[in-house]
Amino acid sequence: MASILEDFRHEVTSVLGAKNSNLIRTHDKNFGSTGDFSFPRLDNKKVWGHPGDLSENDLEDALKKVESMKILRLSHGEKSVYLWIDRQCAFRKYFSSNFPLKKESQLESNHVVNKQDSDKKDLTCERVNIYSDMLQKMLSKVSGGDSTLKFEVGTKKVLDKSDDVRYISVGPVLGQNGKKESASLDELFRKVYDALESQDCERRDESENESDREARLRALTKAQIHFMLTSSVPSAQVKLDLTGRSAVFLLYNCARIVQILYSFEESVRDGVYPPINEENIDFGLLDTQEEWELFFVYILPYTDVLQEAVHMGKLHKLPLHLIGLSNCLSRYYSRVKILRDPLPSLVPTLHARIQFIKHIHAIILDGLDVMGLQPLNKL
């Protein structure tokens, strides 16, 4: 299933009479000054070749034919044409068909071939295994693929060359000295666990029992190792960085959503807020810059990230996408108060925001599932 972003780029490309949708650039920042999309000016002969039937003056009327997302306005810059999307329409259209988060149909016959002779506790082999498991999960989620397609994931090709086998090369894991890491997975796990445990002593909830604390630290440790090994291009070498905490940050942000949702439901039971009627949610009330960034940069492209990982071997794009989402979500928490006073005029926006973060939570859970990881349910 094509995403709204993909549909939009193809529609604009068609209107412009072009063949390459890559000419339509999707922005991830500075939306106010440069819009949400841009493409080279039509008088750029180097890009467009000979002039077509469409002139700059006719462009605005022609783009009104685009249906996947309504274009609110456009601006002609020195080198590019900038497009701004009608945000309310985009929110409403997406959530009318994607809430709750849709689960793609399962593909039954996809294969990930993983042939490795090295010790299973070797970190490079572990990196191969993680990527292989991620790919297998992605194949079960994305549609439109060849159900007989086979992948070989490893440090070197071990199968005869075949047209129906795609090879994904995985680079070695290096230690701090720049040489191939000799430590085992168990040794790395202990190092990361000890570092997290040391930091946790200063901020842990004293009421948490030891078994729950150990389970939480083990989940954080596994997540940090997975992100450490997979956040680079698969074919690139990975140098171990024991100081990074991006996965920990992601899992705590995920737990924070759970905490907000629990507080909301508790307030509903106490009669503070009215219950949500999902049929009457107006997602067009999401009007902050942070909400648009979360939606446009991280929610809309999520299925594209999975598709690109499968069809182009860019498996690292998923952990990077989740890290970016987590960072953006943290900025959102700091600037937008979700659980506001229960005034009748504020409740519709509060309900929209509760459903909005529910959807973000579902995307994070889906991404963690692909990576073979478990979320945290409390801070």
Side-chain angles (χ1 to χ4, degrees):
M1 180 183 69
S3 70
I4 294 177
L5 286 176
E6 186 179 351
D7 286 340
F8 180 85
R9 287 190 291 264
H10 283 305
E11 279 194 85
V12 174
T13 301
S14 177
V15 167
L16 299 176
K19 296 181 179 180
N20 186 359
S21 62
N22 290 332
L23 291 172
I24 314 303
R25 181 185 173 195
T26 305
H27 298 172
D28 59 6
K29 58 184 178 181
N30 301 326
F31 304 112
S33 58
T34 60
D36 306 304
F37 297 93
S38 64
F39 54 84
R41 287 178 58 103
L42 298 184
D43 56 10
N44 186 334
K45 295 181 179 179
K46 185 176 180 180
V47 173
W48 301 104
H50 296 291
D53 297 331
L54 190 63
S55 68
E56 296 277 0
N57 294 331
D58 299 329
L59 184 58
E60 187 168 359
D61 288 337
L63 288 173
K64 290 179 180 179
K65 299 176 183 177
V66 175
E67 298 179 349
S68 51
M69 283 194 286
K70 182 180 177 182
I71 297 172
L72 189 64
R73 67 185 178 96
L74 62 81
S75 174
H76 297 274
E78 182 179 351
K79 295 182 178 180
S80 300
V81 176
Y82 303 100
L83 307 178
W84 282 262
I85 298 302
D86 186 321
R87 296 183 177 184
Q88 290 186 335
C89 289
F91 276 123
R92 289 168 179 151
K93 180 169 184 176
Y94 173 84
F95 284 109
S96 67
S97 57
N98 290 280
F99 192 90
L101 182 67
K102 284 188 174 181
K103 302 296 183 182
E104 298 288 355
S105 58
Q106 301 293 307
L107 299 179
E108 297 179 356
S109 302
N110 283 292
H111 301 283
V112 175
V113 181
N114 174 20
K115 297 275 187 174
Q116 289 293 310
D117 296 325
S118 57
D119 179 21
K120 291 183 179 180
K121 294 185 178 181
D122 175 82
L123 289 180
T124 299
C125 186
E126 179 63 17
R127 190 180 184 214
V128 170
N129 291 334
I130 295 172
Y131 276 137
S132 298
D133 292 342
M134 285 173 60
L135 184 54
Q136 187 72 69
K137 284 272 192 176
M138 289 172 180
L139 285 166
S140 72
K141 292 177 180 291
V142 301
S143 58
D146 183 346
S147 61
T148 63
L149 188 63
K150 295 181 180 180
F151 289 83
E152 180 190 347
V153 183
T155 57
K156 58 183 180 180
K157 292 187 179 182
V158 293
L159 296 179
D160 293 335
K161 187 175 181 180
S162 173
D163 292 337
D164 66 345
V165 176
R166 295 186 182 182
Y167 179 69
I168 296 179
S169 175
V170 177
V173 177
L174 306 181
Q176 296 296 316
N177 59 3
K179 297 181 180 180
K180 187 172 180 180
E181 179 59 45
S182 58
S184 69
L185 177 60
D186 290 341
E187 290 171 333
L188 177 61
F189 190 95
R190 177 48 58 186
K191 285 182 181 179
V192 176
Y193 184 96
D194 289 346
L196 291 175
E197 184 180 37
S198 176
Q199 295 173 356
D200 190 65
C201 289
E202 303 173 359
R203 61 188 72 173
R204 64 171 297 193
D205 182 354
E206 294 299 330
S207 64
E208 183 182 34
N209 63 53
E210 283 302 317
S211 62
D212 288 344
R213 184 189 184 219
E214 182 180 354
R216 176 172 57 82
L217 288 173
R218 291 186 70 84
L220 291 172
T221 300
K222 181 179 179 181
Q224 193 58 44
I225 290 174
H226 277 227
F227 273 77
M228 191 189 309
L229 297 180
T230 62
S231 296
S232 302
V233 177
S235 60
Q237 299 174 337
V238 171
K239 189 172 183 179
L240 293 180
D241 178 12
L242 302 182
T243 62
R245 292 292 180 266
S246 56
V248 174
F249 195 44
L250 170 64
L251 264 61
Y252 278 137
N253 268 327
C254 185
R256 193 171 183 181
I257 295 180
V258 175
Q259 190 176 57
I260 292 173
L261 295 178
Y262 176 81
S263 296
F264 171 75
E265 294 297 339
E266 194 173 40
S267 295
V268 170
R269 289 192 295 270
D270 293 341
V272 177
Y273 296 128
I276 289 177
N277 182 350
E278 294 187 1
E279 299 296 323
N280 294 327
I281 296 296
D282 184 2
F283 288 99
L285 295 172
L286 303 173
D287 59 358
T288 70
Q289 190 69 19
E290 292 77 21
E291 283 160 342
W292 181 249
E293 184 179 356
L294 282 165
F295 174 73
F296 190 71
V297 180
Y298 297 104
I299 294 178
L300 274 185
Y302 179 67
T303 55
D304 292 339
V305 170
L306 297 182
Q307 292 277 3
E308 190 176 13
V310 169
H311 298 299
M312 301 182 68
K314 297 183 178 181
L315 304 177
H316 64 293
K317 288 295 186 72
L318 176 60
L320 292 180
H321 193 78
L322 293 175
I323 291 170
L325 171 57
S326 175
N327 292 336
C328 189
L329 189 59
S330 183
R331 294 193 296 272
Y332 180 56
Y333 288 145
S334 66
R335 298 175 187 175
V336 178
K337 185 177 181 181
I338 297 175
L339 299 179
R340 304 175 68 181
D341 295 334
L343 300 176
S345 60
L346 300 179
V347 167
T349 300
L350 183 150
H351 282 178
R353 285 177 173 158
I354 288 295
Q355 297 298 81
F356 183 61
I357 64 170
K358 274 186 182 180
H359 194 76
I360 292 173
H361 185 246
I363 286 177
I364 294 175
L365 294 187
D366 194 71
L368 291 175
D369 177 64
V370 170
M371 296 188 67
L373 301 171
Q374 295 294 322
L376 295 181
N377 291 322
K378 62 180 182 179
L379 296 172

